């Protein structure tokens, strides 16, 4: 799932190349997506806002968030 979000982020970075404000947000999101266990370290509100900024459908955000948390919990427990 995180790789899918990174792909979406790259697409949006290209889309916003001439629009500084949303591009700046996408650059910040790119940094966060590269951080291990990023979604485990942030509040649910922040995570939902990031998913919203990545243009994830509001109906899909809870499911995507759960998948991210589950995946990161599994990765963390295997280390």
């Amino acid at each position: 799932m995180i790789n899918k979000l990174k792909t979406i982020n790259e697409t949006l970075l290209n889309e916003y190349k001439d629009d500084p404000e949303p591009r700046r947000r996408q650059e910040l999101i790119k940094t966060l997506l590269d951080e291990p266990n990023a979604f485990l370290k942030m509040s649910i509100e922040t995570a939902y806002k990031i998913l919203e900024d990545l243009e994830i459908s509001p109906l899909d955000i809870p499911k995507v968030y759960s998948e991210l948390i589950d995946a990161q919990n599994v990765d963390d427990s295997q280390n």
Side-chain angles (χ1 to χ4, degrees), residues 3-59:
N3 289 331
K4 182 177 179 183
L5 295 179
K6 287 180 179 183
T7 301
I8 293 168
N9 176 249
E10 286 298 323
T11 301
L12 292 172
L13 279 167
N14 289 330
E15 191 175 306
Y16 294 135
K17 65 183 173 191
D18 297 324
D19 197 348
E21 183 59 32
R23 180 166 176 86
R24 196 169 21 252
R25 288 195 60 78
Q26 291 302 320
E27 288 170 348
L28 177 58
I29 290 170
K30 180 179 170 67
T31 303
L32 292 171
L33 292 175
D34 287 337
E35 171 111 8
N37 299 319
F39 284 88
L40 290 176
K41 297 175 183 176
M42 65 181 73
S43 71
I44 190 170
E45 293 83 7
T46 300
Y48 273 44
K49 180 62 179 148
I50 288 170
L51 295 173
E52 181 181 302
D53 287 344
L54 289 170
E55 300 181 1
I56 303 298
S57 163
L59 296 174

